[in-house]
Amino acid sequence: MDPANLLTKRHWIVELARRKPGTVLFSLHHVIDFEWMREAYWLTRKDGATGIDGVTAKEYEANLEANLKDLRERIISGRYKAPPVRRTYIPKADGSQRPLGIPTFEDKVAQRAITMVLEAVYEQDFRSCSYGFRPGCSAHQALQQLSGVITVRRQHWVLDVDIRKYFDSIPHQELRTILDQRVTDGVIRRMIDKWLKAGVLEDGLLRYATEGTPQGGVISPTLSNIFLHHVLDVWFEDEARPRLVGEATLVRFADDFVMTFETHHDAKRVMEVLGKRLGRYGLTLHPDKTRFIDFRPQRRGGTQVDCKDPPFDFLGFTHTWVKSRKGKNVVRQITAKSRLARALLAVKDWCRANRHRPILEQLARLYAKLVGHFAYYGITGNSRRLQQYHHEVMKTWRKWLARRTRSKRLPWDRLNALLARHPLPPARIVHRYAT
């Protein structure tokens, strides 16, 4: 494989999209050659659950070159048939269940190949307010931006918005109309249509839908980003914000977004029209989870009775006001209680199910869980919640290790002696951007 040739093709799409903003691009699929498909394969996760065909990544790799060549030929010729996704459910923080689609491994590779083309085009169009599922963007960049506009730029009126069942609600026809404005390449669009029509296999029944994106694959967040880019980002940046009196900011990560405003009047105006804007494209605001918040650090009681009280949650963090060491009011982002409870429940379930495994094997898994938790939640001002997580993990592990003995007890000194020989990572701050 020639990496330089792959970069050249990507660069060609990027430059084409930059030179022709707002122009329809109708010939892109010729970049999808064997090298493109091989890169798509390497970028596809190999440890995911299998789809309806039961083929694993290892089995697919056994005859990789022939499989990729055949897959490419079917994509280009139009003979590719998108298989239905296998539906399963994962628990949400509020106790409900989130549907998750599991494509076949080959379908994941095909989705990655098309996504690579779409990303090269739409990355030139996406606005800086969008952070989710984009190369070079992260949730922590969104959190840093939100903290800055509230603390430094004093945008204290907050719209905490939730779109009801967003990924299941995107109308296919509206999505196609939006894609028509930028990408009309026959191969690309034919593949997208096949995924939209593929259907979902659940309890042996095949169901089709006229709305929603094919969840579970990489094409879903890309299409949902494209949809909200047009419906929300462009509208807010180009139409709504120029009409406001004060400053305003949109911070969006996939379908989770928060709007902040300098004045109460501006926030009310946008709140009144936001539901109508989304409704034009088949989307609905969640009435219980969408909040208009008076987030001023020192509020005068009773002045704004139409606003709900802080704090508010965004991307797993609760945002609240505290005093800094210098005595200034600053926004602190701490682990949301629901997320902490969910993380500890996952540790409890794992320790209970795996208490029979060798001690060092359990240590290695707990080490990975702690590192992963601190890598996301380890931000300035969140030390107490990190230490709480660390302590509760140790308590939980000790409890289930004790179940291996007749006494049902495990003294702390024995556990500490073990951890002295094989230490687990301490709670630590990874991201230092808050003031």
Side-chain angles (χ1 to χ4, degrees):
M1 184 172 68
D2 184 3
N5 187 34
L6 191 65
L7 288 174
T8 298
K9 285 179 288 189
R10 282 177 173 167
H11 183 71
W12 177 82
I13 300 177
V14 168
E15 287 302 312
L16 179 65
R18 283 178 181 171
R19 289 197 318 268
K20 299 182 177 181
T23 302
V24 176
L25 306 179
F26 57 87
S27 180
L28 298 169
H29 71 270
H30 56 81
V31 302
I32 304 177
D33 55 11
F34 177 74
E35 292 177 344
W36 193 274
M37 297 301 302
R38 191 176 183 87
E39 177 71 5
Y41 166 79
W42 289 119
L43 292 175
T44 302
R45 285 186 55 179
K46 312 299 189 298
D47 57 350
T50 59
I52 61 173
D53 62 356
V55 176
T56 65
K58 187 175 182 180
E59 292 170 341
Y60 195 82
E61 188 178 3
N63 194 19
L64 182 61
E65 182 172 345
N67 286 335
L68 291 180
K69 287 182 177 179
D70 178 63
L71 175 59
R72 177 193 174 275
E73 196 279 328
R74 284 181 284 137
I75 291 174
I76 300 299
S77 67
R79 293 190 300 107
Y80 182 80
K81 295 182 179 180
V85 298
R86 179 168 63 86
R87 172 156 288 180
T88 185
Y89 292 87
I90 57 177
K92 296 176 64 175
D94 59 4
S96 61
Q97 292 187 316
R98 182 192 303 275
L100 178 66
I102 303 176
T104 65
F105 181 77
E106 182 178 65
D107 201 50
K108 293 177 184 178
V109 176
Q111 289 189 31
R112 175 64 69 179
I114 301 301
T115 297
M116 287 163 58
V117 178
L118 294 176
E119 281 183 350
V121 173
Y122 281 98
E123 276 301 310
Q124 318 317 311
D125 299 346
F126 287 155
R127 304 300 176 91
S128 60
C129 60
S130 171
Y131 296 90
F133 302 104
R134 294 180 56 194
C137 296
S138 70
H140 291 99
Q141 291 175 339
L143 291 165
Q144 182 177 7
Q145 170 75 353
L146 182 59
S147 175
V149 297
I150 294 176
T151 305
V152 180
R153 296 166 62 179
R154 304 176 65 84
Q155 297 178 18
H156 295 158
W157 302 95
V158 176
L159 293 184
D160 179 16
V161 185
D162 184 274
I163 302 176
R164 188 196 294 269
K165 296 183 179 180
Y166 171 65
F167 287 95
D168 295 327
S169 302
I170 300 176
H172 291 177
Q173 191 53 50
E174 295 287 357
L175 176 60
R176 293 186 181 99
T177 301
I178 290 173
L179 289 169
D180 285 342
Q181 300 176 22
R182 195 60 165 137
V183 175
T184 59
D185 180 279
V187 171
I188 305 295
R189 294 297 301 275
R190 184 169 58 219
M191 289 295 291
I192 293 174
D193 275 345
K194 289 183 178 182
W195 285 315
L196 293 177
K197 298 175 181 177
V200 175
L201 188 65
E202 182 178 4
D203 297 330
L205 298 176
L206 183 60
R207 298 181 176 89
Y208 297 95
T210 58
E211 57 186 22
T213 55
Q215 292 186 50
V218 295
I219 197 68
S220 177
T222 300
L223 294 177
S224 62
N225 255 349
I226 293 170
F227 193 77
L228 271 189
H229 162 73
H230 176 86
V231 173
L232 180 68
D233 301 355
V234 174
W235 169 79
F236 182 82
E237 299 280 351
D238 297 350
E239 297 184 35
R241 191 163 65 176
R243 292 182 169 87
L244 303 180
V245 176
E247 291 189 6
T249 303
L250 168 65
V251 180
R252 181 174 70 83
F253 190 93
D255 63 322
D256 294 328
F257 64 94
V258 171
M259 295 175 173
T260 60
F261 302 86
E262 191 176 5
T263 72
H264 170 266
H265 178 65
D266 286 343
K268 286 289 294 181
R269 289 180 62 193
V270 173
M271 184 67 174
E272 290 171 357
V273 300
L274 180 60
K276 298 176 183 177
R277 171 66 183 182
L278 297 178
R280 288 176 54 189
Y281 294 89
L283 304 179
T284 306
L285 292 178
H286 197 297
D288 300 324
K289 297 181 180 180
T290 300
R291 300 197 301 157
F292 179 23
I293 304 168
D294 179 356
F295 202 62
R296 292 174 294 178
Q298 296 176 338
R299 294 171 296 148
R300 297 180 178 87
T303 56
Q304 304 295 345
V305 295
D306 56 344
C307 295
K308 297 186 178 181
D309 293 331
F312 67 93
D313 291 350
F314 183 60
L315 297 182
F317 289 87
T318 297
H319 296 66
T320 187
W321 286 103
V322 299
K323 290 285 186 180
S324 70
R325 293 179 180 178
K326 298 179 180 179
K328 296 181 179 180
N329 291 313
V330 296
V331 173
R332 279 288 178 262
Q333 298 161 323
I334 61 176
T335 309
K337 290 182 179 180
S338 60
R339 293 296 185 92
L340 179 62
R342 186 174 69 180
L344 291 174
L345 180 61
V347 171
K348 173 187 173 182
D349 291 343
W350 188 89
C351 289
R352 179 177 56 198
N354 295 274
R355 62 184 184 273
H356 63 283
R357 295 185 180 275
I359 298 294
L360 293 183
E361 183 179 327
Q362 294 186 48
L363 267 171
R365 179 60 67 90
L366 289 176
Y367 192 105
K369 288 181 180 293
L370 288 166
V371 168
H373 188 87
F374 300 150
Y376 185 75
Y377 292 102
I379 67 175
T380 303
N382 198 29
S383 297
R384 185 173 298 179
R385 287 281 167 90
L386 298 180
Q387 292 167 358
Q388 180 183 356
Y389 177 77
H390 188 279
H391 179 66
E392 292 296 330
V393 167
M394 292 299 97
K395 282 178 58 179
T396 300
W397 189 41
R398 174 175 174 262
K399 170 186 174 180
W400 290 103
L401 280 181
R403 299 296 178 93
R404 293 157 56 109
T405 66
R406 292 183 179 179
S407 65
K408 305 300 182 183
R409 295 183 59 190
L410 178 64
W412 275 108
D413 55 353
R414 286 183 58 190
L415 182 60
N416 289 334
L418 172 65
L419 294 175
R421 298 191 303 270
H422 305 283
L424 288 172
R428 70 188 189 97
I429 300 300
V430 178
H431 308 278
R432 301 181 183 273
Y433 54 74
T435 54

